[in-house]
Amino acid sequence: MQTAGGPGTIEVAVCPPRKERSTETGVDGMKGLRFYIETFGCQMNEQDSLRAGYQLARAGCLQVDSPAEADILVVNTCSIRRKAEEKAYSLLGRFRNLKGRRPDIVVAVGGCVAQQEGESLLERLPQVDVVFGPHHVSEIDRFVERRRAGGERFAVVSQKTDSVDDLECPGISDPKGLKAFVTIMEGCDNFCSYCVVPFVRGRERSRPYHSLLEEARRLTEQGVREVTLLGQNVNAYCAPDRQGFRFPDLLAALSALPGLRRLRFTTSHPKDLSRALIECFGSLGPLCEHIHLPLQSGSDRVLAAMNRGYTRTAYLEKISALRERVPDVAVTSDMIVGFPGEEIEDFEGTLEAMRIVRFDSLYSFKFSPRPSTRAASLEETVSEVEKLRRLHELQDLQKRISLEKNRALEGKFLEVFVEGGSRDGEQWMGRTRTNKIVNFTGPAGLEGRFLQVAIREGCQNSLRGAIAERSVNPEESPTRLSE
Ligand code: SF4
């Protein structure tokens, strides 16, 4: 599972448009209240925050950029690593001061820490009014209303196992209306020994394919050009409403939607990367040439202890098969150092795997034991100092590889989807189909355009370029890397 790291403030764009939504939910006491949402963790959490924002906006509330302006404070937490959890607690500590000055503020805590801790959060943090698990995001407006109406502080963390109603979504894009996430499944059956996800998000549940198609169709009709499919293990997708309809079938069905220029997904499990899925790359036009495929360790011994269900060789074979099909596919990954029992030879195996695969970028972490997981009961054999040393060595190697790979793109023309620019409209930022950031200069009004950009300089984390004369317009079909 990929984690985005630090906190993010989520802005919400809603469909239907703002003027149509204010009277829809019947939560009357909420109109005009201001809400602030802060999000920690992965894209699943970001999407949950968008859905929470959507619910509050439908109830007539207004989103603000600062906690000091808000009547409702929502913290969407992550417990995948100890550091993310600590950051959420630190933020809630600051909210205690705000609540001390304005006791009428409602503080709601959602996400994986909420699921994990439940009512104990209420006991430990008197500033918290409502604790809600990830399966209850769509009820946030009712929860806030209940508390504001004088109800007791409460926690709602039951997990849904027999329905996916809580994942239904009307189609929520980013504030610019260009990109959107669509949650296709939630939960995980893999029980990797270090991971808390199966305990906090529950077992795998897939949404019906017809509602996914409908959501994506609505988004593209409203102008969204890029959709990212989300789930803890998207390639385990299994439509409950059509026998044998799996993830590659879903990709094919979505690729046929008029107006959809780019299709992405995250996160995939290497053991579920099937031949059929590999064959989708290069054959489905909108499917971008990028895969996030967490390796976690380059040692078979450690992979077995992590219960990952594949060997290093099997992983490398899948990367080779992908690259045979699409030589310029970008591969990104997650890596953990200092797992209990990781010897220096195991760590060397990880570095070796990185040299073989040459990831485009990497999310890397020190192991930290998580409650309920099997790894939490293992003896920690790698000191914090050594974990940090290994992490730095691994990150230094990745920085070199990323820079080399980006420099190798100098002189190429890449299709860039322009996502935003500076206020004066001269500096622009977009992404390639391989998900690399490209900065370039250009005239006003480029947002939402697909352009051909000549890459002038490859930097460690991004590319610099110049608009090519043969830029494409939005109606042209997707283009691939070209000389
Ligand atoms: S595949 Fe493993 S790491 Fe990913 S969410 Fe499932 S249990 Fe966690």
Side-chain angles (χ1 to χ4, degrees), residues 36-112:
Y36 173 84
I37 303 182
E38 189 133 342
T39 307
F40 295 85
C42 65
Q43 286 155 325
M44 292 286 283
N45 262 19
E46 290 191 23
Q47 177 66 359
D48 283 350
S49 290
L50 284 172
R51 287 167 59 224
Y54 172 83
Q55 281 305 126
L56 291 169
R58 282 188 76 212
C61 304
L62 306 167
Q63 189 167 20
V64 290
D65 297 330
S66 135
E69 298 170 55
D71 307 296
I72 303 160
L73 296 169
V74 182
V75 183
N76 198 356
T77 60
C78 169
S79 64
I80 195 95
R81 309 198 196 281
R82 191 164 47 204
K83 207 167 168 186
E85 199 170 321
E86 286 167 357
K87 283 182 185 171
Y89 281 121
S90 159
L91 179 70
L92 286 165
R94 298 203 292 279
F95 285 179
R96 185 174 187 166
N97 300 335
L98 280 176
K99 180 102 174 165
R101 292 198 291 275
R102 281 189 49 206
D104 60 313
I105 289 176
V106 174
V107 178
V109 182
C112 294

Side-chain angles (χ1 to χ4, degrees), residues 193-262:
S193 63
Y194 54 83
C195 183
V196 76
V197 163
F199 305 99
V200 292
R201 294 272 177 172
R203 305 298 289 266
E204 287 169 6
R205 298 174 302 143
S206 295
R207 283 177 61 192
Y209 89 94
H210 74 263
S211 85
L212 293 174
L213 277 182
E214 179 55 24
E215 182 178 336
R217 188 189 57 72
R218 220 177 293 145
L219 286 164
T220 52
E221 282 176 0
Q222 285 153 5
V224 166
R225 292 291 166 260
E226 178 176 311
V227 167
T228 301
L229 306 179
L230 288 183
Q232 270 87 24
N233 184 13
V234 285
N235 44 6
Y237 175 80
C238 180
D241 52 343
R242 187 160 162 190
Q243 207 179 7
F245 191 91
R246 306 302 301 254
F247 189 53
D249 305 306
L250 181 65
L251 290 177
L254 292 170
S255 291
L257 282 174
L260 184 67
R261 289 288 301 264
R262 290 186 174 187

Side-chain angles (χ1 to χ4, degrees), residues 62-335:
L62 306 167
Q63 189 167 20
V64 290
D65 297 330
S66 135
E69 298 170 55
D71 307 296
I72 303 160
L73 296 169
V74 182
V75 183
N76 198 356
T77 60
C78 169
S79 64
I80 195 95
R81 309 198 196 281
R82 191 164 47 204
K83 207 167 168 186
E85 199 170 321
E86 286 167 357
K87 283 182 185 171
Y89 281 121
S90 159
L91 179 70
L92 286 165
R94 298 203 292 279
F95 285 179
R96 185 174 187 166
N97 300 335
L98 280 176
K99 180 102 174 165
R101 292 198 291 275
R102 281 189 49 206
D104 60 313
I105 289 176
V106 174
V107 178
V109 182
C112 294
V113 176
Q115 184 68 40
Q116 191 179 283
E117 301 297 323
E119 283 197 355
S120 75
L121 268 186
L122 297 175
E123 286 158 24
R124 284 159 50 203
L125 303 175
Q127 69 273 40
V128 173
D129 298 281
V130 178
V131 176
F132 63 102
H135 294 195
H136 297 275
V137 170
S138 58
E139 298 162 77
I140 177 85
D141 51 337
R142 290 201 290 110
F143 294 159
V144 172
E145 173 70 355
R146 177 170 143 195
R147 176 66 176 144
R148 282 182 58 84
E152 295 291 318
R153 299 159 70 224
F154 61 93
V156 184
V157 292
S158 58
Q159 291 197 357
K160 304 205 171 158
T161 52
D162 53 352
S163 100
V164 284
D165 292 354
D166 57 304
L167 301 178
E168 285 303 314
C169 183
I172 306 173
S173 70
D174 70 344
K176 295 168 182 166
L178 302 174
K179 298 170 41 164
F181 292 120
V182 172
T183 302
I184 65 165
M185 58 85 66
E186 191 182 43
C188 187
D189 291 351
N190 287 316
F191 289 91
C192 299
S193 63
Y194 54 83
C195 183
V196 76
V197 163
F199 305 99
V200 292
R201 294 272 177 172
R203 305 298 289 266
E204 287 169 6
R205 298 174 302 143
S206 295
R207 283 177 61 192
Y209 89 94
H210 74 263
S211 85
L212 293 174
L213 277 182
E214 179 55 24
E215 182 178 336
R217 188 189 57 72
R218 220 177 293 145
L219 286 164
T220 52
E221 282 176 0
Q222 285 153 5
V224 166
R225 292 291 166 260
E226 178 176 311
V227 167
T228 301
L229 306 179
L230 288 183
Q232 270 87 24
N233 184 13
V234 285
N235 44 6
Y237 175 80
C238 180
D241 52 343
R242 187 160 162 190
Q243 207 179 7
F245 191 91
R246 306 302 301 254
F247 189 53
D249 305 306
L250 181 65
L251 290 177
L254 292 170
S255 291
L257 282 174
L260 184 67
R261 289 288 301 264
R262 290 186 174 187
L263 183 59
R264 303 184 186 278
F265 58 85
T266 194
T267 291
S268 342
H269 194 294
K271 78 175 168 46
D272 295 323
L273 180 59
S274 64
R275 187 76 226 172
L277 179 52
I278 289 172
E279 283 173 7
C280 290
F281 286 91
S283 60
L284 300 175
L287 184 63
C288 290
E289 294 77 29
H290 169 228
I291 188 165
H292 185 77
L293 200 63
L295 173 59
Q296 307 295 12
S297 169
S299 153
D300 285 349
R301 215 173 59 79
V302 174
L303 286 172
M306 288 176 165
N307 193 34
R308 288 292 288 171
Y310 54 85
T311 61
R312 184 174 97 163
T313 304
Y315 183 95
L316 295 178
E317 282 172 0
K318 292 196 177 187
I319 297 295
S320 295
L322 258 173
R323 286 187 169 148
E324 255 169 51
R325 218 175 147 71
V326 183
D328 45 32
V329 67
V331 182
T332 56
S333 196
D334 297 344
M335 215 70 87

